[in-house]
């Protein structure tokens, strides 16, 4: 509840983060094989509201075929679409077209979204849509299989299946994803997985398809043909026990869930496993080729020429340089599966070598994972394994040059020093010649850049190169089609497993709370947990809780990760190796980022923090991401690991003055305050506080082009803005705290984030009180009253409104403010069932608004009076008041107020027995609230729709409306959810 009735959230449309360029010149890519995603060039287009996403999903899975208006309407409304259905579709299509081609002139046809007679289609092809690429690869694989090239077919099948990242169009509403048009795409994945398994079995390549087969089979455990192929492939790859276990699991599921026995195909697969008759074991380990022997004639004399073909030459020395596998290695199961998938088909079928580059921040466990995976694959590379630590981030700066690394490899391959050429080019040529035709695994650890790696790459298609680096080696992707994997921190479960593995379950069982606290402070960084575990192992009598206590204070947390004689096991030292490589400006930005408000920071906010222009911040952020001190986890948004932020804060306290840090924080808070104020100006101009004080020099507020971008910005920055309010309050910026909190109110209110609303206003109120800011206290009281009203704490709302009234009189605020407080009192009183008192408040407000000529205030008061008259049973009077208020809203161009009136009219008709009129009115309100992005009021109206439909004996319709409402209410944690559960339980009985 703001000053008066709640008005207007901006239209929720998509926006693109791409810069303004010629739309025809910007390539667009779509993905539906998993989460639905869209890219313009290198920038991802942000998703819009549910209806728009659903329309885009249908257009994409149709893969360029026309989609009729009837199909689109049927997708959005399963029955009885509203009269405005076609208009809604047209609006969604228009918004999609602007998102895909933002510079497209009005009424221009466009390149991507094509309008036909009565239908639309997306102009996609194999290069722009992963579904078409998947189908093309599958057809190519089938053609190879038909020609008898089963090994080649398997490789292409695996390449096709690797395009999938989850179920089709993941992310749209679950009820829509269940539609046949989307389920059929998921079925195509299953069919191709089965075909891949069928080709792999006779080719001896079952191991190649196992990872993807496991993934697909896990999605449908009752699909007997699919499960039978998984069982057969497991056995053929040598996993006999897992195959038998898989059969028992499927058989139990069939018996428990369907009450049937396994079918013929599944039983036959089981028998084949038991008889060990599942085809060749593996083409990855070919039979040994016999040595060349001369042919002899019957007289025993040698003939000219061999009987068998000449085998590949054996290496002079068989290298086995891999470091020992980590005895305590744990977790990383999904990463290992991903690496197996990236490796793709059996190496013998490759035309080029395989390169897998693993990157991530310092201490994330890149080397441990690479060494562990290399040991798992070692038997597939019978010609040996080479390893070198390139020392790309060595604290001494002694980076190992490619020349020294090459000479080490040549030594390992048995080349005497006298045969090693002088030049780097000649050494690389000899190295490639030695590995030609061989199958060798090369692990290049701690690479600094592509230039250091490139001379160490072989040319043999049978080789695998695994690279670890803190940097993302993008050049290898471009020139050598390298596969990349970025390591994330351990999940909480993985971290607990790692700690338990090192310290033993018995020691941790008695101190689970301390264990979980250590897991939290280590923030998923494997190196941090290894250091803590080592310390606990050395000091066996030290309680685990004592270590947790040391980690609790951020000022000394890194002390608990240091103090060891091994510099590699000192977090400060490890982080410093990256920090020391930074330029002066990037280093200063890194230090100041420790003062940022929330979990991440945008590009423009970083520019404001440093006090530079937006275009100057890009290379500095690129430098920090390149050094893995930051991660660009979303286009234009950056995050640092918690322990790296602690390190940055230590450096800032040491190297930056107090004034420098305070000015940087002031610029950052100015950035959020001025952007939020500009956003509120565009979305909710009727409730606009006075403009904030002039921003500090160097502040770069976000340039928000319209309501869609404003709503997206508030959504993306929501957690950051909540944190910024607290940060301002805790650092002496009390005015920033309450002014920013007030500018978040309308967003929180309309999106249903009422808990966030209450929390930020409590923080703002305390900050205003602490610094004696009476105006800030008054506004905070009123806003907090609105939050408590939304959460159902009406007595608290009355308490805060009463205090607001007293402060407004004390400060001599204008009559407009008093009028809105009167309306606020009416809104709370009516929720308490005090309808006569509420009407008195509304009439007082109406008189003040009329005296001032405030049209929208009058409309809000009239709608409030009508709402109360409905509850008093005066239905004709109620409809009259509400209709008068709606006319005023419509004349003043306020769609949100108009939607409120449709909702109130629906209640009046419902209570007076006009159920059909109630359904019609509330449906209009739902459509309006959805278009305005007001999820909280949309959910409440869905509840009212269900009530009216139940009165019409439409139990199915009522249940559907309540289910839709419950999903939103539970997501927002709103109190109405429990009442909806009661309704659903009643209608089911």
């Amino acid at each position: 509840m703001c000053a008066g009735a709640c008005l207007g959230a901006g239209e929720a449309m998509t926006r693109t983060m791409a810069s303004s360029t010629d739309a025809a010149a910007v390539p667009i890519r779509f993905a539906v094989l998993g989460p639905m995603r869209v890219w313009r060039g290198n920038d991802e287009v942000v998703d819009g509201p549910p209806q728009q996403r659903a329309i885009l999903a249908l257009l994409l899975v149709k893969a360029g075929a026309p989609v009729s208006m009837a199909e689109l309407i049927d997708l959005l409304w399963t029955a009885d679409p509203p009269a405005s259905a076609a208009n809604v579709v047209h609006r969604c299509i228009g918004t999609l077209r602007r998102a895909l081609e933002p510079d497209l002139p009005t009424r221009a046809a466009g390149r991507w979204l094509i309008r036909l007679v009565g239908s639309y289609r997306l102009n996609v092809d194999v290069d722009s849509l992963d579904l078409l690429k998947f189908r093309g690869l599958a057809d190519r694989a089938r053609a190879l299989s038909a020609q008898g090239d089963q090994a080649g077919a398997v490789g292409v099948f695996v390449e096709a299946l690797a395009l999938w990242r989850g179920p089709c169009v993941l992310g749209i509403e679950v009820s829509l994803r269940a539609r046949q048009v989307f389920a059929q795409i998921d079925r195509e994945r299953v069919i191709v997985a089965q075909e891949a398994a069928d080709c792999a079995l006779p080719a001896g390549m079952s191991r190649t398809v196992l990872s993807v087969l496991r993934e697909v089979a896990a999605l449908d455990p009752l699909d007997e043909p699919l499960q039978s192929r998984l069982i057969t492939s497991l056995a053929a790859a040598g996993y006999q026990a897992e195959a038998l276990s898989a059969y028992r699991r499927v058989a139990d599921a069939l018996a428990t869930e369907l009450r049937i026995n396994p079918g013929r195909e599944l039983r036959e697969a089981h028998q084949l496993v038991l008889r060990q008759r599942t085809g060749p074991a593996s083409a990855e380990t070919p039979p040994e080729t016999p040595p060349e022997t001369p042919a002899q004639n019957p007289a025993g004399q040698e003939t000219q020429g061999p009987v068998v073909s000449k085998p590949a030459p054996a290496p002079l020395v068989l290298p086995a340089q891999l470091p020992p596998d980590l005895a305590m290695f744990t977790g990383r199961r999904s990463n290992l599966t991903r690496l197996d998938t990236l490796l793709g088909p059996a190496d013998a079928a490759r035309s080029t070598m395989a390169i897998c580059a693993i990157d991530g921040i310092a201490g994330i466990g890149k080397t441990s994972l690479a060494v562990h995976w290399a040991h798992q694959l070692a038997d597939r590379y019978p010609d040996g394994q080479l390893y070198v630590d390139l020392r790309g981030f060595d604290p001494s700066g002694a980076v190992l040059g490619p020349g020294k690394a090459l000479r080490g490899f040549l030594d390992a391959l048995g080349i005497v020093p006298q045969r090693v050429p002088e030049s780097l080019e000649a050494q690389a040529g000899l190295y490639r010649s030695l590995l030609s035709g061989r199958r060798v695994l090369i692990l290049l650890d701690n690479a600094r850049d592509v230039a250091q790696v490139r001379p160490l790459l072989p040319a043999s298609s049978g080789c695998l190169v695994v690279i670890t680096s803190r940097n993302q080696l993008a050049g290898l992707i471009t020139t050598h089609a390298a596969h990349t994997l970025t390591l994330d921190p351990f999940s909480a479960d993985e971290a607990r497993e790692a700690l338990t593995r090192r310290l033993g379950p018995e020691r941790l069982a008695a101190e689970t709370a301390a264990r979980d606290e250590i897991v939290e402070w280590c923030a998923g960084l494997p190196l941090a947990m290894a250091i803590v575990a080592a310390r606990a192992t050395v000091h066996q009598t030290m309680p685990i809780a004592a270590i947790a206590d040391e980690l609790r204070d951020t000022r000394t947390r890194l002390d608990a990760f240091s103090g060891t004689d091994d510099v590699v096991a000192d977090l400060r030292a490890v982080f410093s190796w990256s920090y020391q490589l930074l330029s002066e400006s990037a280093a200063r930005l890194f230090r100041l980022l420790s003062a940022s408000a929330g979990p991440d920071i945008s590009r423009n906010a970083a520019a404001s923090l440093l006090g530079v222009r937006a275009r100057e911040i890009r290379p500095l952020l690129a430098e920090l991401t390149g050094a893995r001190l930051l991660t660009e986890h979303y286009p234009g948004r950056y995050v640092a690991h918690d322990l790296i932020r602690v390190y940055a804060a230590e450096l800032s306290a040491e190297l930056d003055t107090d004034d420098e840090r305070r000015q940087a924080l002031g610029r950052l808070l100015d950035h959020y305050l001025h952007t939020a104020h500009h956003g509120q100006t565009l979305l909710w101009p009727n409730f606009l506080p006075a403009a904030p004080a002039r921003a500090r020099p160097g502040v770069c507020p976000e340039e928000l082009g319209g309501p869609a971008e404003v709503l997206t910005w508030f959504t993306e920055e929501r957690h950051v803005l909540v944190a910024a309010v607290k940060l301002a309050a805790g650092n002496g910026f009390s005015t920033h705290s309450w002014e920013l909190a007030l500018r978040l109110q309308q967003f929180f209110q309309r999106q249903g984030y009422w808990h966030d609303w209450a929390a930020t206003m409590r923080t703002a109120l305390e900050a205003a009180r602490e610094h004696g800011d009476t105006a800030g206290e008054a506004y905070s009281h009123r806003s907090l009253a609105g939050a408590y009203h939304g959460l159902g704490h009406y007595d608290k709302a009355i308490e805060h409104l009463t205090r607001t009234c007293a402060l407004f009189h004390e400060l001599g605020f204008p009559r407009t403010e008093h009028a809105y407080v009167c309306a606020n009192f009416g809104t709370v009183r009516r929720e308490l069932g005090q309808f006569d008192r509420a009407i008195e408040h509304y009439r007082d407000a109406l008189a003040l608004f009329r005296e001032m000529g405030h049209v929208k205030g009058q409309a809000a008061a009239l709608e409030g009076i009508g709402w109360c008259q409905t509850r008093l049973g005066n239905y004709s009077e109620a409809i009259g008041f509400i209709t008068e208020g709606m006319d005023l809203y419509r004349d003043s161009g306020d769609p949100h107020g108009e939607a409120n009136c449709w909702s109130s009219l629906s209640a009046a008709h419902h209570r007076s027995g006009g159920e059909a009129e109630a359904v019609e009115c509330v449906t209009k309100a739902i459509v309006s609230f959805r278009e305005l992005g007001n999820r909280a009021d949309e959910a409440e109206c869905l509840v009212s729709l269900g009530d009216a439909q139940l009165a019409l004996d439409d139990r199915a319709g009522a249940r559907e409306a309540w289910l839709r409402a419950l999903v939103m209410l539970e997501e927002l944690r709103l109190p109405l959810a429990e009442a909806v559960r009661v309704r659903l339980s009643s209608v089911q009985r």
Side-chain angles (χ1 to χ4, degrees):
M1 183 180 63
C2 56
C6 323
L7 302 180
E11 183 181 0
M13 304 188 307
T14 56
R15 71 179 178 96
T16 178
M17 300 184 71
S19 59
S20 179
T21 56
D22 180 9
V26 179
I28 297 183
R29 293 177 292 118
F30 304 88
V32 294
L33 304 183
M36 185 174 66
R37 302 176 70 183
V38 183
W39 295 268
R40 293 188 72 251
N42 294 324
D43 297 320
E44 187 166 356
V45 176
V46 179
D47 293 326
Q51 286 184 324
Q52 182 176 298
R53 290 175 50 77
I55 288 174
L56 178 59
L58 182 58
L59 289 167
L60 286 173
V61 299
K62 287 292 187 175
V67 181
S68 68
M69 177 63 75
E71 290 177 279
L72 293 170
I73 291 176
D74 182 65
L75 176 71
L76 301 183
W77 295 276
T78 54
D80 300 324
S84 61
N87 290 333
V88 173
V89 171
H90 286 312
R91 279 198 298 270
C92 289
I93 291 289
T95 305
L96 276 173
R97 181 178 281 116
R98 288 191 296 275
L100 297 177
E101 300 178 85
D103 297 328
L104 188 68
T106 305
R107 301 187 180 278
R111 156 74 174 83
W112 292 97
L113 189 47
I114 310 301
R115 180 172 186 175
L116 306 172
V117 179
S119 63
Y120 296 90
R121 75 176 184 87
L122 271 175
N123 190 22
V124 292
D125 56 23
V126 70
D127 294 323
S128 58
L129 178 61
D130 59 354
L131 174 59
L132 290 176
K133 183 176 182 180
F134 167 77
R135 289 172 174 170
L137 288 170
D139 289 342
R140 179 180 155 206
R142 294 180 184 116
L144 289 172
S145 176
Q147 296 166 11
D149 184 4
Q150 303 303 324
V154 171
V156 181
F157 273 133
V158 171
E159 184 181 355
L161 290 164
L163 296 173
W164 285 79
R165 297 160 291 108
C168 176
V169 295
L170 190 65
I172 70 170
E173 292 183 4
V174 175
S175 59
L176 294 179
R177 279 191 50 242
R179 298 287 189 93
Q180 181 66 25
V181 67
F182 301 120
Q184 185 59 41
I185 308 299
D186 285 326
R187 187 62 192 164
E188 288 184 39
R189 182 190 192 186
V190 173
I191 292 170
V192 170
Q194 294 177 174
E195 291 176 303
D198 291 342
C199 287
L201 190 63
M205 297 173 64
S206 294
R207 186 180 299 175
T208 303
V209 302
L210 264 186
S211 62
V212 68
L213 202 57
R214 284 188 178 108
E215 181 181 350
V216 177
L219 296 175
D220 195 349
L222 300 180
D223 187 325
E224 293 191 54
L226 177 61
Q227 298 296 330
S228 68
R229 284 166 173 83
L230 173 62
I231 292 166
T232 306
S233 298
L234 284 168
Y239 300 101
Q240 188 90 357
E242 186 179 349
L244 294 174
S245 176
Y247 173 79
R248 287 193 296 271
R249 185 171 59 252
V250 177
D252 291 344
L254 290 170
T256 303
E257 298 185 35
L258 302 182
R259 300 185 182 278
I260 61 174
N261 295 320
R264 179 179 59 82
E265 189 172 7
L266 205 55
R267 294 197 307 272
E268 288 177 355
H270 185 221
Q271 290 301 314
L272 286 172
V273 176
L274 293 174
R275 293 195 296 269
Q276 298 186 352
R277 294 176 55 190
T278 52
S282 176
E284 288 90 316
T285 309
E288 185 177 344
T289 306
E292 179 182 355
T293 57
Q296 295 182 333
N297 60 23
Q301 298 174 331
E302 294 182 3
T303 62
Q304 301 296 315
V307 173
V308 296
S309 60
K310 183 179 180 180
L316 298 175
V317 177
L318 190 68
Q321 295 186 321
L322 290 180
D325 197 2
L326 185 65
M328 295 297 180
F329 185 88
T330 187
R332 298 299 187 198
R333 296 178 185 85
S334 61
N335 295 125
L336 288 167
T337 301
R338 174 65 176 157
L339 286 169
D340 288 337
T341 303
L342 292 177
L343 187 56
D347 305 289
R350 287 186 172 276
S351 59
T352 60
M353 66 174 167
I355 302 177
C356 290
I358 303 172
D359 64 83
I361 66 173
I364 201 68
K366 301 179 290 295
T367 298
S368 298
L369 175 64
V371 170
H372 182 76
W373 187 50
H375 276 284
Q376 288 186 331
L377 299 175
D379 61 340
R380 296 173 58 176
Y381 297 91
D383 294 320
Q385 303 87 43
L386 296 170
Y387 170 86
V388 64
D389 182 356
L390 296 172
R391 303 201 300 265
F393 300 89
D394 193 275
S396 66
V399 178
L400 186 69
K404 288 186 178 181
L406 270 174
R407 286 192 291 276
F409 282 171
L410 293 174
D411 288 343
L413 293 168
I415 303 300
V416 296
Q418 294 82 353
R419 289 190 55 201
V420 177
E422 291 186 8
S423 70
L424 178 62
E425 293 78 6
Q427 291 170 11
L430 175 60
Y431 168 69
R432 288 193 295 269
S433 298
L434 288 171
L435 297 189
S436 178
R438 303 185 191 282
R439 300 174 66 196
V440 177
L441 189 154
I442 302 101
L443 175 49
L444 308 177
D445 199 15
N446 291 317
R448 182 162 178 176
D449 51 36
V450 175
Q452 190 185 21
V453 166
R454 190 168 281 129
L456 306 177
L457 301 178
S460 174
S461 61
C463 291
L464 168 65
V465 182
V466 182
I467 306 168
T468 72
S469 177
R470 296 187 191 181
N471 295 331
Q472 290 181 319
L473 305 178
L476 291 180
I477 302 173
T478 304
T479 58
H480 291 83
H483 301 293
T484 62
L485 173 68
T486 299
L487 285 191
D488 294 321
F490 274 162
S491 67
D493 288 339
E494 288 177 319
R496 281 190 288 269
E497 180 184 355
L499 210 56
T500 303
R501 181 80 177 271
R502 288 177 176 272
L503 298 180
E506 297 81 7
R507 187 172 180 186
L508 293 175
E511 296 189 81
T512 55
R515 177 205 62 187
D516 292 342
E517 193 171 0
I518 290 174
V519 165
E520 178 183 355
W521 299 135
C522 289
L525 196 67
L527 177 59
M529 285 182 290
I531 296 172
V532 168
R535 186 171 185 187
T537 301
V538 171
H539 303 283
Q540 287 288 336
T541 59
M542 178 185 290
I544 301 298
I547 298 177
D549 289 341
E550 292 181 340
L551 297 175
R552 193 171 293 118
D553 189 344
T554 58
R555 294 170 298 179
T556 59
R557 185 174 304 163
L558 291 187
D559 293 337
F561 298 120
S562 60
T564 174
D565 294 333
D566 183 3
V567 69
V568 177
D570 185 328
L571 275 188
R572 279 195 186 92
V574 171
F575 293 156
S576 72
W577 304 342
S578 294
Y579 175 76
Q580 290 167 6
L581 298 175
L582 298 176
S583 66
E584 182 179 348
S585 295
R588 180 168 177 262
L589 173 61
F590 172 68
R591 298 193 304 268
L592 293 178
L593 281 170
S594 62
S596 59
D600 63 357
I601 191 167
S602 68
R603 188 178 293 128
N604 275 21
S608 295
L609 180 71
L610 192 60
V612 300
R613 288 171 292 187
R615 67 172 179 269
E616 298 175 36
I617 204 68
R618 289 177 180 267
L620 302 181
L621 290 169
E623 190 175 345
L624 291 177
T625 55
R628 297 315 255 170
L629 294 170
L630 278 185
T631 299
E632 189 176 9
H633 71 107
Y634 189 81
R637 302 196 68 82
Y638 301 83
V639 64
H641 189 275
D642 288 351
L643 293 176
I644 291 180
R645 287 186 63 158
V646 172
Y647 175 64
E650 286 187 354
L651 290 175
S652 184
E654 177 184 350
L655 301 174
D656 301 319
T657 68
D658 291 343
D659 183 64
E660 286 173 333
R661 293 198 300 274
R662 184 168 182 79
Q663 287 301 319
L665 179 56
R667 287 192 298 269
L668 182 66
L669 294 174
D670 277 350
H671 170 88
Y672 292 128
L673 176 58
H674 282 262
T675 305
H677 182 79
H678 177 55
Q680 188 171 18
T681 303
L682 294 174
L683 279 182
W684 306 291
N686 299 302
F687 298 98
L688 194 62
R694 186 182 182 88
R696 289 167 172 78
V699 174
C700 303
E702 305 285 347
E703 296 180 0
L704 305 176
E709 289 192 15
V710 173
L711 197 59
T712 301
W713 181 81
F714 275 113
T715 301
E716 290 178 349
E717 298 283 3
R718 171 189 158 204
H719 297 293
V720 175
L721 295 169
V722 170
V725 171
K726 295 179 181 178
L727 188 67
N731 287 274
F733 291 89
S734 62
T735 303
H736 282 79
S737 181
W738 70 261
E739 285 197 341
L740 179 57
L742 283 182
R743 285 160 179 83
L744 302 180
Q745 172 187 307
Q746 299 298 321
F747 170 72
F748 287 154
Q749 182 175 353
R750 283 154 177 72
Q751 292 294 301
Y753 297 126
W754 295 344
H755 294 278
D756 284 347
W757 180 8
T760 55
M761 292 317 306
R762 283 193 295 266
T763 300
L765 178 59
E766 288 303 315
R769 280 174 174 168
E770 184 177 343
H771 290 81
D773 190 334
T774 309
E777 186 180 350
Y779 286 125
S780 298
H781 273 298
R782 183 172 67 184
S783 186
L784 189 53
Y788 282 138
H789 164 261
L791 292 170
H793 305 319
Y794 304 122
D795 291 339
K796 289 185 177 180
I798 292 290
E799 176 185 337
H800 284 282
L801 283 175
T802 301
R803 183 59 181 152
T804 301
C805 223
L807 290 174
F808 278 4
H809 281 293
E810 177 184 330
L811 293 167
F813 274 15
R815 295 170 68 81
T816 309
E817 301 288 8
H818 294 283
Y820 274 124
V821 174
C822 287
N824 294 154
F825 269 117
T827 301
V828 179
R829 293 290 183 192
R830 77 186 194 185
E831 296 297 339
L832 289 169
Q834 301 169 3
F835 303 122
D836 289 327
R837 292 190 66 182
I839 289 175
E840 290 177 12
H841 286 299
Y842 281 129
R843 291 192 183 279
D844 290 341
L846 180 61
L848 288 171
F849 283 130
R850 280 177 173 166
E851 179 183 328
M852 295 178 291
H854 196 294
V855 176
K856 291 185 180 181
Q858 296 174 52
L862 288 166
E863 187 264 335
I865 294 171
W867 197 99
C868 295
Q869 293 289 2
T870 295
R871 268 57 181 180
L872 291 171
N874 304 322
Y875 302 122
S876 59
E877 292 91 338
I879 291 173
F881 280 114
I882 297 168
T883 301
E884 184 181 354
M886 182 185 291
D887 290 339
L888 292 177
Y889 275 132
R890 188 177 292 124
D891 292 343
S892 57
D894 189 334
H896 199 283
E898 191 175 344
N900 282 333
C901 289
W902 281 121
S903 175
S904 296
L905 275 178
S906 172
H909 287 300
H910 173 59
R911 287 175 174 266
S912 64
E915 305 301 346
E917 292 86 353
V919 169
E920 180 181 356
C921 290
V922 79
T923 299
K924 292 180 179 179
I926 291 169
V927 170
S928 295
F929 285 135
R930 187 174 300 152
E931 291 175 352
L932 293 165
N934 186 336
R935 296 192 300 161
D937 285 335
E938 179 187 352
E940 291 191 15
C941 285
L942 283 168
V943 178
S944 299
L945 174 62
D947 294 343
Q949 288 174 319
L950 184 63
L952 290 171
D953 204 26
D954 181 4
R955 301 174 70 83
R959 183 174 182 275
E960 180 182 355
W962 289 335
L963 283 172
R964 289 166 60 193
L966 185 60
V967 169
M968 300 173 72
L969 292 167
E970 286 182 335
E971 178 187 349
L972 299 170
R973 298 182 297 129
L974 298 185
L976 186 56
E978 184 57 37
V980 176
R981 292 191 195 96
V982 173
R983 285 171 166 84
L984 285 168
S985 176
S986 174
V987 78
Q988 287 168 351
R989 287 197 301 269

